[in-house]
Amino acid sequence: MPEKYKASVAICTYNRLSLLKLCIESIAALKTPPDLFEVLIIDNNSTDGTEEFCKTVSQHYPNHQWRYIKEINQGIAFARTRGAKEATGDIVAYIDDDCLAEANWLDEITSFYDSNAEAMSTGGRIIPKYLVPVADWFGKYFWGLVGSYDLGKSVFQMKSVRYPSGANMHFRKAAFEKYGYFDGNLGRSGKSLMAGEEKAMYLKLIHANEKVFYLPHVIVHHHVEGNKFDKEYVKRHSMGIGGSERLMNKGSFLKLSLKFLEYFAKLGYAIAYGFTYLLQGKPDKMWMLIKFRWWVIEGFLNPEKTKR
């Protein structure tokens, strides 16, 4: 067993034992030889039997190196930071606990880094795997709600406003050593649906002119549970987006003003575009699109409400 692995797969989890088991199965089924990587399961205070199960994983998959880690600071940013600190691999590959990795997932990641020494981080495609029928009001403007992430079939360098999604993102370990870790003031924590911890991390890399790439052949499938279509959940999710942007831009009146204007412009567009849904006889789509944009503004104006 090597002292240092080529890659560390980090699974951050919180009270999703049934889906975590499926995620672990997909990692155990990777084509990558198990002696080349370790798997870190970072438990963020789960109360559903996750700890007990994780301590038996090595019995089910004895050829792999599993490490169970308990992160007591609540929040996805703290869990992801703990994964980066604990990792011994040259590459830290994150996958969410409700995702399934395709068999060539890690091979595609490591081969890209081997061939591209300048790459500091990468992100892949995320395909929704619906566990329930989609809601009637659901449309393209809600792809983020179900974790869908698809920027096409070509590899390209990501700049400016584009950055990978947290459910399928990968870094050189050196990125954290050079630029620090995820901001604990951002991201989901318990029932809070704040976001932005991965965006803030990527902005540090991009502003430092580090190279971040989109890899379309690095694919995970994201389980979409029924609560994602609950309107109260959508409201909290939307407000979390706005609240996170407020926190990321605090201290800069100019940035806050520009973001505020951007959100109101998007609300205006949503109202105008919503009428096309109305003309198609789809009023639910119109109202949810408008509400989504308004809830984002509401969260931006009052970020403390998003933490409840």
Side-chain angles (χ1 to χ4, degrees), residues 139-156:
K140 63 181 180 180
Y141 293 102
F142 293 96
W143 285 126
L145 178 69
V146 298
S148 179
Y149 190 84
D150 188 342
L151 300 182
K153 297 182 179 180
S154 300
V155 174
F156 66 88

Side-chain angles (χ1 to χ4, degrees), residues 121 177 250:
S121 181
E177 296 167 349
K250 67 179 181 179

Side-chain angles (χ1 to χ4, degrees), residues 158-193:
M158 308 180 81
K159 299 179 180 180
S160 186
V161 297
R162 284 188 165 181
Y163 55 91
S165 174
N168 188 11
M169 62 181 180
H170 338 104
F171 301 83
R172 290 193 188 276
K173 172 87 170 178
F176 299 108
E177 296 167 349
K178 188 174 182 180
Y179 297 103
Y181 299 93
F182 298 96
D183 187 343
N185 294 310
L186 300 170
R188 298 189 179 190
S189 178
K191 294 182 179 180
S192 168
L193 295 182

Side-chain angles (χ1 to χ4, degrees), residues 79-153:
R80 285 176 172 162
T81 289
R82 184 68 180 277
K85 289 181 176 180
E86 294 278 352
T88 64
D90 293 322
I91 300 164
V92 184
Y94 289 94
I95 181 172
D96 278 3
D97 57 357
D98 54 357
C99 291
L100 305 175
E102 292 200 350
N104 64 344
W105 178 70
L106 193 55
D107 277 351
E108 292 281 354
I109 295 169
T110 56
S111 64
F112 185 83
Y113 281 97
D114 287 344
S115 303
N116 297 271
E118 76 280 11
M120 186 62 83
S121 181
T122 54
R125 197 150 47 112
I126 304 173
I127 301 173
K129 185 179 178 66
Y130 298 101
L131 300 179
V132 295
V134 300
D136 291 339
W137 50 261
F138 185 76
K140 63 181 180 180
Y141 293 102
F142 293 96
W143 285 126
L145 178 69
V146 298
S148 179
Y149 190 84
D150 188 342
L151 300 182
K153 297 182 179 180

Side-chain angles (χ1 to χ4, degrees), residues 8-15 20 24 38-46 50-57 65-73 75 78-89 92 94 173:
S8 298
V9 174
I11 309 171
C12 300
T13 188
Y14 176 67
N15 284 341
L20 173 64
I24 288 172
E38 63 177 349
V39 186
L40 312 180
I41 305 173
I42 303 97
D43 179 6
N44 201 200
N45 301 310
S46 297
T50 291
E51 180 173 359
E52 292 76 12
F53 170 76
C54 288
K55 290 181 177 179
T56 68
V57 170
Q65 178 64 25
W66 306 92
R67 291 172 57 198
Y68 172 79
I69 300 163
K70 188 70 169 286
E71 174 52 56
I72 61 173
N73 292 307
F78 291 111
R80 285 176 172 162
T81 289
R82 184 68 180 277
K85 289 181 176 180
E86 294 278 352
T88 64
V92 184
Y94 289 94
K173 172 87 170 178

